Amino acid sequence: SDSALAELVGQALTRGAEAFGPVPVPRVTFISDAGRKGRTSGSLQGLSSIGLLWEPGELLERSRSHDTFHETLHLWFGGAMETEQWWTEGVTDYFAARLYAEWRNDPRELAALVYESLANYGRIPHRTSMTMTTERREHPGGDNTVRLVYRKGMLAGLLLDAAIRRDSRGRSSLDDVARRLLALAASRSARRVTEEEVREETVRIGGRPAADEWARVVAGTSLISAAQVAAALRTVTGVDLPSPASDKARAKILLNNPNP
């Protein structure tokens, strides 16, 4: 319904403002239309209009609601601040998933979106041979589902957020890094923040755990596992959220051996 869509858009703006500061433009126009099957969303990257393409009847499904949050957050990342694409797309995707799940008051929404990214990350041939920054420069091809800057970038957001929360005992998060980067960008005409500045602020706020996670996930090419993702989700949400694959494996074991 119109009221449900208005609430979704309103929550995307409100949650973004609560996390990262006031909406960077005085007026935002959301433009939605039915697209071709398989098309997801497109944004005008932080300008005052946000375009979204949907299939009829799917507008308020989890993935499309997440898209609305993602494109809205481009008002901050890609609009008020420019930096490496793994942040403006991938980390933005993580923030969108987390804020959407917080609005729904259901951490399983975050887990579902994160594990979807992990599954797509597992299908990227160059996931352990190329960093996200190198991928952007070399353009190996593929759509957003098989690009590290999107899929690994989302996982990097989760893992860095968890590292910061662990080091600070929950007093700080990746949101604090984002607000600091936005403040840096606001002082510059180009609104650009370098990757090294992103690292400096992440380590300053998150300490050694964040530095180690950065070296492994952002600067390195080590494989990200489902166990690492589950541990990070536990830190961020406070509950155990195993991967769907783990659930299926556990169910199979119980089916074959009901009295372990």
Side-chain angles (χ1 to χ4, degrees), residues 148-169:
L148 292 175
V149 291
Y150 283 86
R151 303 285 63 89
K152 188 181 181 183
M154 184 192 192
L155 302 175
L158 168 69
L159 293 166
L160 290 171
D161 195 13
I164 293 169
R165 290 170 189 255
R166 282 194 299 270
D167 181 70
S168 66
R169 299 180 184 272

Side-chain angles (χ1 to χ4, degrees), residues 29-202:
T29 301
F30 285 77
I31 306 163
S32 63
D33 200 356
R36 299 185 302 277
K37 194 66 180 175
R39 187 72 181 270
T40 53
S41 61
S43 165
L44 299 185
Q45 289 290 344
L47 300 179
S48 57
S49 293
I50 294 176
L52 300 161
L53 296 175
W54 318 99
E55 285 303 306
E58 68 179 7
L59 186 55
L60 298 178
E61 292 178 359
R62 175 197 293 136
S63 61
R64 300 304 182 250
S65 295
H66 173 233
D67 284 342
T68 301
F69 270 67
H70 175 106
E71 303 303 345
T72 300
L73 292 187
H74 276 316
L75 294 166
W76 287 269
F77 310 118
M81 179 188 110
E82 282 286 356
T83 189
E84 289 291 331
Q85 195 176 27
W86 66 264
W87 179 289
T88 59
E89 292 294 351
V91 176
T92 295
D93 214 40
Y94 164 67
F95 281 138
R98 203 196 74 212
L99 295 179
Y100 170 69
E102 289 173 2
W103 169 48
R104 302 296 296 172
N105 195 30
D106 188 349
R108 293 173 299 180
E109 298 284 356
L110 171 60
L113 291 163
V114 166
Y115 284 122
E116 181 181 348
S117 262
L118 181 65
N120 286 323
Y121 161 78
R123 290 191 283 268
I124 300 175
H126 55 274
R127 64 187 179 278
T128 58
S129 62
M130 194 178 292
T131 68
M132 293 181 285
T133 301
T134 301
E135 180 199 65
R136 182 189 63 79
R137 292 171 181 162
E138 296 190 8
H139 303 291
D143 63 19
N144 295 350
T145 64
V146 289
R147 291 182 62 197
L148 292 175
V149 291
Y150 283 86
R151 303 285 63 89
K152 188 181 181 183
M154 184 192 192
L155 302 175
L158 168 69
L159 293 166
L160 290 171
D161 195 13
I164 293 169
R165 290 170 189 255
R166 282 194 299 270
D167 181 70
S168 66
R169 299 180 184 272
R171 292 187 296 270
S172 300
S173 71
L174 194 62
D175 299 25
D176 296 293
V177 176
R179 286 190 289 269
R180 176 57 186 156
L181 297 176
L182 286 161
L184 284 175
S187 67
R188 301 168 180 175
S189 58
R191 298 181 177 179
R192 180 149 191 94
V193 177
T194 68
E195 187 173 58
E196 182 54 33
E197 288 172 321
V198 176
R199 182 189 178 282
E200 287 174 1
E201 291 302 323
T202 300

